[in-house]
Amino acid sequence: MEIEKFRTIAPQLLVNEPMSKHTTFRIGGAADMYVSADSAEQVAALAGAAKETGTPLTVIGNGSNMLVGDGGIRGLVIEIGAGMSDISVNGSVITAGAGALLSRVAAEAAKASLSGLEPVSGIPGTLGGGLYMNAGAYGGELKNVVRSVTYTGADGDIKTIDNAACCFGYRKSIFSDGGMYIVSAELELTPGNEEDIRAAMADYNKRRSDKQPLSYPSAGSTFKRPEGYFAGALIEGAGLKGASVGGAAVSEKHAGFIINTGGATASDVLELIGYVQRKVKDKFGVELEPEIRLIGEK
Ligand SMILES: Cc1cc2nc3c(=O)[nH]c(=O)nc-3n(C[C@H](O)[C@H](O)[C@H](O)COP(=O)(O)OP(=O)(O)OC[C@H]3O[C@@H](n4cnc5c(N)ncnc54)[C@H](O)[C@@H]3O)c2cc1C
C-alpha cells in the first residue's frame, strides 16, 4: 500500500480506521486507509491515485445504508461528509456539497421558505448518498427536486449532468453503477410558506419516531420493498419480530429493521438476514432482497 502517496494528497488520512465509527449500524472492521475529503479536487486526486496504484476505492457518505464486514475494507475509503457540506440558496435553487446531511439541507430550505424536501428531511444520510440511492420517503424522492449533479472520477474531470442524465429509478441512479463520485448538487425547489414547510417536516419526523426503532443503531429498512408487499409485514407475518442472532435482532417496533442491540457483528447481521429471507420465502414464497449495501470483507 502506498500510504505516503495518498497522504501527500490528503494529510488528514487515517490508517486502520474502525468503520464502526462511521456507520449508523455501529458495526464494521477497519478500513486500511480512511480520508474524510475536503474538496472535489481532493476526491478526484485520490481516485486518480487509487486507479494508478491499483488500490481498491470505496466512497461513503454518512454510512447510514451500509453493513461493513467484520474483516473491514481493503484499500482506501473516502468519506464525502462534513468537509464538503457547504449549502447556499439562490432564489429557489439550493446548491449543496454532497457531504451535507439531508436534514441540514432541508432545514436551510425551510429557512428560505422553499418546499420540496419535506418527505426526505428525516432520512439520516448525506445528499450524495441520497442521490446515489435516489433516497425517498412518504411518496417523495430526491429525483423530484434535482436540477443537476456534479461528480468526479478516476480521470480527474469534474462534470455536471442534469436530472434526466442521472437515470433515477427506485433506490438507484446512474451513480449506483460505481466509479462516479458525487461532489455537489443543485436542487430546484418551490417557493412556499415557512410555517407550513416546518409543520410538514415535524409531522414526517414524528411519524418516523413513532414507527421506527430510532433509539438503536441500524441501517434503516433492511430489505427492499418486494413488488406488491411490504417487507416489514411479511417478516412480522412470519413470526420473526424479536428474532435474534448474537447482538442483531429484528426490531419489535418495526420488523422491517434489523437493529444492533449491543455488540452485534456483521456476521450476526448477515446470519439474521439469511434466516429472515429463508423463513419469509418458506411462508410466503417471496424473495426478500437486501436494501442495505454489504461492503468489505466478512
Ligand atoms: C433510521 C434510518 C432510517 C432511514 N430511512 C430511510 C428512508 O426513509 N428512505 C431511504 O431512502 N433511506 C432511508 N435510510 C437509509 C439511508 O439513510 C439512505 O439510503 C441514505 O440516502 C444513505 O446516505 P448516506 O450518506 O448515509 O450513504 P452511505 O450509507 O454512506 O452510502 C450508501 C451508498 O451510496 C454510496 N455513496 C455515498 N456517498 C456517495 C457519493 N458522494 N458519491 C458516490 N457514491 C456515494 C456509497 O458507496 C454506498 O454504496 C434510513 C436509514 C436509517 C439508519
Side-chain angles (χ1 to χ4, degrees), residues 236-277:
E236 188 172 350
L240 293 169
K241 266 194 170 178
S244 66
V245 175
V250 173
S251 163
E252 297 272 4
K253 191 165 176 184
H254 188 319
F257 283 57
I258 288 181
I259 53 174
N260 178 358
T261 60
T265 61
S267 78
D268 292 341
V269 176
L270 288 172
E271 207 179 304
L272 186 56
I273 286 176
Y275 178 71
V276 168
Q277 284 173 319

Side-chain angles (χ1 to χ4, degrees), residues 50-76:
K51 187 171 182 198
E52 200 185 304
T53 56
T55 305
L57 173 61
T58 306
V59 171
I60 70 164
N62 196 39
S64 67
N65 200 45
M66 56 175 63
L67 176 66
V68 176
D70 299 317
I73 303 179
R74 301 291 72 79
L76 174 67

Side-chain angles (χ1 to χ4, degrees), residues 57 59 128-129 131-134 151-152 161 165-182 224 293:
L57 173 61
V59 171
L131 292 167
Y132 176 99
M133 302 287 298
N134 185 25
Y151 69 93
T152 188
I161 54 176
C166 293
C167 304
F168 290 115
Y170 174 64
R171 300 295 170 267
K172 65 177 184 196
S173 70
I174 195 168
F175 307 103
S176 316
D177 297 337
M180 296 163 84
Y181 310 121
I182 303 163
K224 288 187 181 164
R293 313 203 53 109

Side-chain angles (χ1 to χ4, degrees), residues 59-65 79-82 84-88 93-109 116-117 120-136 141-151 163 166 168 172-173 175-176 180-189:
V59 171
I60 70 164
N62 196 39
S64 67
N65 200 45
E79 176 200 318
I80 297 185
M84 293 174 60
S85 62
D86 286 352
I87 302 173
S88 63
V93 176
I94 290 192
T95 306
L101 289 172
L102 281 174
S103 55
R104 268 197 58 228
V105 183
E108 287 301 318
L117 286 172
V120 299
S121 59
I123 297 176
T126 61
L127 177 59
L131 292 167
Y132 176 99
M133 302 287 298
N134 185 25
E141 50 188 357
L142 276 178
K143 168 192 173 188
N144 299 343
V145 294
V146 171
R147 185 192 213 188
S148 70
V149 177
T150 300
Y151 69 93
N163 185 315
C166 293
F168 290 115
K172 65 177 184 196
S173 70
F175 307 103
S176 316
M180 296 163 84
Y181 310 121
I182 303 163
V183 295
S184 63
E186 283 182 322
L187 308 178
E188 175 96 60
L189 301 172

